[in-house]
Amino acid sequence: MFNLGNRRYIGSKADLSDWIMDLIQENCTGDTFADIFAGTAIISKKAAQKYSKLIINDFLYSNNIIYKAFFDNNDWDKEKVEKYINKWNKKNSNTLEDNYFSKNFGGKFFNRDDAKKIGAIREDLQKNKIFNEKEKNILLVSLIYSIDKIANTVGHYEAYFHKKVIPQQFTYQMINPTPIKNIEIYREDVNKLSKNLNADIVYIDPPYNSRQYSRFYHVLENLVKWEKPKLEGVALKPPAENMSEYCRTNAPKAFKELIDNLQCKFIAVSYNNTYNSKSSSSKNKISLEQIEEILSSKGKTTRYEHNHKFFNSGKTDFNNHKEFLFITEVR
């Protein structure tokens, strides 16, 4: 079974989660924790063990359904879900017809026969009426985790490895849901959400550079929405949508607006120093100095540092990479 952290995701705080949560626990007080750029939700899962209420938000469709599958408290039938997964694992891909997923992604991001089965499962889930919402979410997220494990990529879908033969290796595996008792799950623009957010502690881990997550994970977004758009380019991307201002030159203005709107006791912001990167796509859109200045205008701000390895696409090369955590006690 897949646990929450068993996926590949750029900017994941899995290796930093203990350091981040320890600092927040030591320096912040309150009962309600909000993770508003939640990503993999690793920080959210840790926070759920320490605070009485969790608010979680991310603008990706795939992340939102992952939170619902793992965390919400709706009833579901495990035996029914396992039976469905086992049925598909026994099915021979050679008996399946080509479909939207295999025609576009087969032989590129996935083995052709694997892609036929992935597309067939997704189409069946779209039409199937025997599952409730929680069960369907679990089955879809199990599909996401199963394909992420075998995708012919470095961990995102900006490109794929050009191989003559991609091995057939897809196995449909179930996730291990971990319900959280008191949780609110959103898929909203953070700057709009911040105007009505009611939390004691707000944790912020924004995108750092021009890499749009909706484009990096377009295959997963496409699989979740299942609207079958026309795809273009080498990476077979759909038309652009769900683009973040935090990946554009407007990022400092968006961040200041977000911070100004927040009504909370404490703000914790993760950031790293890739702003000196040789790769233009890796350079930070907001500098550490801007982060500190904006937060300091909101209250007493302390900066903490931690050495950390960073995602390297090949063009980024510098030493002394650090992860930063700013903690602001709001006036």
Side-chain angles (χ1 to χ4, degrees):
M1 296 180 83
F2 290 114
N3 293 315
L4 180 70
N6 296 145
R7 61 182 296 213
R8 299 177 292 173
Y9 198 81
I10 292 171
S12 171
K13 293 298 187 286
D15 294 338
L16 294 160
S17 59
D18 287 337
W19 175 71
I20 290 168
M21 288 309 304
D22 286 348
L23 283 172
I24 291 174
Q25 285 267 280
E26 290 168 10
N27 295 280
C28 307
T29 59
D31 299 318
T32 303
F33 186 96
D35 185 359
I36 60 175
F37 289 91
T40 61
I42 293 296
I43 297 298
S44 289
K45 186 178 179 181
K46 293 263 186 184
Q49 300 166 7
K50 303 175 186 296
Y51 299 94
S52 59
K53 182 178 179 180
L54 177 68
I55 299 168
I56 183 170
N57 176 73
D58 194 277
F59 72 112
L60 289 191
Y61 292 91
S62 50
N63 284 344
N64 180 258
I65 202 166
I66 285 169
Y67 309 154
K68 290 177 178 178
F70 273 99
F71 297 145
D72 78 28
N73 289 283
N74 294 331
D75 293 331
W76 64 288
D77 187 331
K78 184 178 180 181
E79 185 178 345
K80 186 165 68 169
V81 169
E82 287 179 334
K83 184 178 179 181
Y84 182 84
I85 288 174
N86 290 334
K87 179 192 76 172
W88 278 102
N89 281 328
K90 292 175 182 176
K91 194 177 288 287
N92 190 334
S93 298
N94 293 329
T95 65
L96 300 171
E97 295 181 357
D98 263 322
N99 52 59
Y100 173 82
F101 199 87
S102 63
K103 288 175 182 177
N104 284 295
F105 303 121
K108 300 177 180 74
F109 288 102
F110 304 94
N111 168 277
R112 186 66 177 242
D113 285 333
D114 281 345
K116 284 200 292 184
K117 185 177 283 192
I118 293 163
I121 293 169
R122 183 63 186 95
E123 188 65 23
D124 189 64
L125 285 174
Q126 190 74 5
K127 298 174 180 177
N128 206 304
K129 304 298 183 184
I130 70 169
F131 300 110
N132 64 29
E133 184 180 2
K134 175 71 173 181
E135 290 161 351
K136 187 169 282 191
N137 287 344
I138 289 172
L139 286 166
L140 182 49
V141 170
S142 295
L143 187 61
I144 289 172
Y145 274 67
S146 296
I147 74 168
D148 183 68
K149 184 179 180 180
I150 64 162
N152 180 39
T153 72
V154 297
H156 58 73
Y157 298 86
E158 181 70 13
Y160 52 86
F161 294 117
H162 292 269
K163 297 179 179 178
K164 289 184 178 180
V165 178
I166 303 171
Q168 186 174 357
Q169 52 188 335
F170 173 74
T171 302
Y172 198 6
Q173 298 180 56
M174 196 170 82
I175 62 166
N176 182 25
T178 51
I180 294 172
K181 187 176 181 180
N182 193 1
I183 186 170
E184 294 178 10
I185 301 172
Y186 296 96
R187 194 197 70 79
E188 290 191 24
D189 179 291
V190 291
N191 285 45
K192 294 179 180 177
L193 180 67
S194 65
K195 296 176 182 178
N196 300 300
L197 193 63
N198 185 15
D200 297 315
I201 303 164
V202 177
Y203 173 68
I204 300 173
D205 182 23
Y208 302 143
N209 48 52
S210 63
R211 295 190 179 103
Q212 292 278 356
Y213 277 67
S214 62
R215 309 303 278 163
F216 256 38
Y217 297 97
H218 65 93
V219 173
L220 303 185
E221 293 289 274
N222 197 344
L223 193 70
V224 170
K225 294 182 71 179
W226 206 238
E227 295 175 350
K228 303 178 186 176
K230 183 180 178 181
L231 307 179
E232 297 180 345
V234 175
L236 296 158
K237 295 179 180 179
E241 66 167 351
N242 220 16
M243 307 291 273
S244 173
E245 287 300 309
Y246 289 83
C247 300
R248 294 170 167 159
T249 55
N250 197 42
K253 181 181 177 181
F255 183 75
K256 186 178 188 310
E257 179 186 275
L258 170 64
I259 298 302
D260 288 345
N261 284 337
L262 286 175
Q263 299 296 319
C264 56
K265 295 177 181 177
F266 295 90
I267 302 169
V269 178
S270 284
Y271 223 64
N272 64 44
N273 63 340
T274 56
Y275 48 82
N276 290 324
S277 168
K278 294 178 182 177
S279 167
S280 60
S281 63
S282 296
K283 290 183 179 179
N284 288 48
K285 295 302 180 184
I286 316 175
S287 70
L288 289 174
E289 290 76 18
Q290 287 173 314
I291 292 280
E292 195 157 22
E293 180 182 352
I294 291 167
L295 289 173
S296 295
S297 69
K298 189 76 171 182
K300 181 184 176 182
T301 299
T302 306
R303 184 171 78 180
Y304 302 89
E305 300 180 10
H306 187 80
N307 291 325
H308 182 58
K309 291 182 180 180
F310 63 101
F311 170 76
N312 190 348
S313 63
K315 298 179 181 178
T316 303
D317 182 20
F318 61 91
N319 297 317
N320 197 32
H321 178 75
K322 293 182 182 294
E323 183 79 19
F324 296 87
L325 185 71
F326 295 93
I327 294 181
T328 300
E329 183 176 2
V330 178
R331 293 189 190 94

